[in-house]
Amino acid sequence: MSKAIQAVRGMNDCLPSQTNIWQMVEEKLRRVASNYGFAEIRMPIVESTALFKRSIGEVTDIVEKEMYTFDDRNGDSLTLRPEGTASCVRAGNQHGLLYNQEQRLWYMGPMFRHERPQKGRYRQFHQFGLEAFGIATPDIDAEVIMLTSRLWKELGINEFVTLELNSLGSNEERAAYRDALVEFLTAKEDQLDEDSKRRMHTNPLRVLDSKTPDVQAALVGAPKLADYFGEESSAHFQSVCQRLDAAGINYVLNDRLVRGLDYYNRTVFEWVTSSLGAQGTVCAGGRYDGLVEQLGGKATPAFGFALGIERLVLMLTSLEKVENIRPQVDAYLISLGEGVDIKANQLAEQWRDQVIDIRLQNHCGGGNMKKQMKRADKSGAQIALILGEDEIAAGQVTVKYLRGQHEQQSVALEQVPSLLASLI
Ligand code: ATP
Ligand code: MG
């Protein structure tokens, strides 16, 4: 036998035992997005490499070491998208969706980053992202954060996530702060790790975000970005906080929250959890008022976020929030006896016509009662409908309940659609 080819490291198959959880999560994400007036946009998975370099930033982890970049057959440099915002802005500009108008968009799909695979961190992973364009006022910041908060409630995990909030001010304010921070860091250089020493010169704010305890200790007494804010940035942030307070959404102010992508300004936020180990950020985003112009459009304010679907699914599973998800099959139809399977084919079609959303699996491939019951049980169905020669003669099916303690019963064929409908 030849050696079987395996999936690429860090790129996972999503198996049928998991897809019903994914579908439940995806449905909720879609519904909540539309509850707030957001419409879906679908972008390609491959983009010009220049798009990500120009938006995410040349000296970010993503662009420096995580992108899947290759030359195609024409010699053009292409990249598998590591995130969705850049593509979404590119598409918005290209199709004139952002010019002098407001736009509320969401997308969902695979993203690619060459990272070290571990729990909650993969090389192909999936994000749900949402972007609001054309609104500069803090009401949209609050509205989008409220949307994320509603998601956690819908998924039953609101008690297990914490909102962290910060403001990065304007570009000018950040530039002034950067100088003060570099001066502070230079004095502490011997206490920094290699990564932070390097970042001190390329992207000093990222040092604030370092996970190394020694670096965090060295940062005690560092200058604070908020001290460099002008009137407008302060008022904007206060207004966001006020609106969250009014909505009863709790948050923790974290002045070290800087995000790993260069395009953010003003409000930034992350939802974090302690139930995932080291990969604790489930959802992250903020304002990026400069990006649309930076990518060749007319200056347009914007606010958005992305969440990692794998991390959500892991959380739901470890918190046992997936027990009541509807199984892939509601009812399993068993047929026994000469020619009964032909009748079963016919009845199954009829019932599917009558009960639109039913998940009815008709047994195929023959076999005795024992074999068919085994299949019925494995399918996850709540009931088995048993059709034999006697049943056909009496115009009935025998109903066997596969979960819970119910007596087996006979049901007239005309009553089967309402029985099926009761399972949904
Ligand atoms: P982290 O700090 O965990 O590396 P990040 O800041 O790089 O996250 P973003 O670029 O903000 O992440 O992406 C938004 C969300 O996408 C993250 O909060 C996380 O839930 C998810 N995510 C990011 N990278 C991965 C990955 N390699 N595998 C799985 N999920 C990921
Ligand atoms: Mg990362």
Side-chain angles (χ1 to χ4, degrees), residues 173-214:
E173 290 155 359
R174 229 167 28 257
Y177 171 69
R178 193 177 294 135
D179 293 342
L181 181 65
V182 171
E183 197 180 320
F184 174 87
L185 292 173
T186 308
K188 304 249 179 176
E189 193 160 353
D190 53 333
Q191 296 173 52
L192 302 181
D193 61 358
E194 286 310 310
D195 244 8
S196 298
K197 276 186 194 155
R198 196 169 48 84
R199 286 203 175 118
M200 194 173 91
H201 301 291
T202 56
N203 197 350
L205 264 73
R206 284 288 282 161
V207 177
L208 297 177
D209 194 37
S210 168
K211 305 274 187 299
T212 315
D214 285 349

Side-chain angles (χ1 to χ4, degrees), residues 14-175:
C14 186
L15 301 180
S17 58
Q18 290 282 302
T19 46
N20 64 336
I21 306 175
W22 279 71
Q23 284 168 2
M24 181 275 285
V25 171
E26 288 162 359
E27 267 163 36
K28 292 219 156 118
L29 292 167
R30 280 195 193 97
R31 188 168 49 69
V32 172
S34 53
N35 287 155
Y36 288 74
F38 285 77
E40 184 180 8
I41 180 166
R42 301 185 185 195
M43 298 85 66
I45 283 168
V46 180
E47 298 271 3
S48 294
T49 303
L51 174 66
F52 302 114
K53 288 197 173 167
R54 224 207 274 181
S55 54
I56 298 168
E58 297 265 6
V59 288
T60 55
D61 282 355
I62 296 179
V63 172
E64 273 185 342
K65 52 188 188 200
E66 295 174 0
M67 292 207 304
Y68 279 90
T69 297
F70 59 97
D71 287 347
D72 79 353
R73 289 173 192 274
N74 302 327
D76 298 327
S77 179
L78 304 181
T79 294
L80 302 186
R81 62 182 188 191
E83 58 113 45
T85 305
S87 306
C88 187
V89 171
R90 196 265 314 134
N93 281 340
Q94 187 172 334
H95 302 286
L97 301 183
L98 311 182
Y99 193 81
N100 277 346
Q101 54 192 313
E102 228 187 87
Q103 206 63 248
R104 299 185 182 208
L105 305 172
W106 66 265
Y107 49 83
M108 181 152 56
M111 306 292 163
F112 303 83
R113 297 185 193 177
H114 196 275
E115 305 197 65
R116 192 169 68 79
Q118 52 197 297
K119 183 180 166 198
R121 192 176 293 287
Y122 312 101
R123 291 181 173 174
Q124 174 174 323
F125 61 100
H126 297 76
Q127 282 185 342
F128 171 87
L130 181 147
E131 323 283 353
F133 295 100
I135 308 164
T137 43
D139 44 1
I140 192 70
D141 307 32
E143 183 89 353
V144 170
I145 295 173
M146 287 176 200
L147 181 159
T148 55
S149 168
R150 181 177 298 275
L151 274 175
W152 317 139
K153 274 187 222 136
E154 290 273 333
L155 293 166
I157 56 172
N158 48 318
E159 287 168 49
F160 306 94
V161 286
T162 306
L163 174 61
E164 296 199 353
L165 202 60
N166 191 22
S167 173
L168 298 178
S170 68
N171 288 348
E172 298 72 41
E173 290 155 359
R174 229 167 28 257

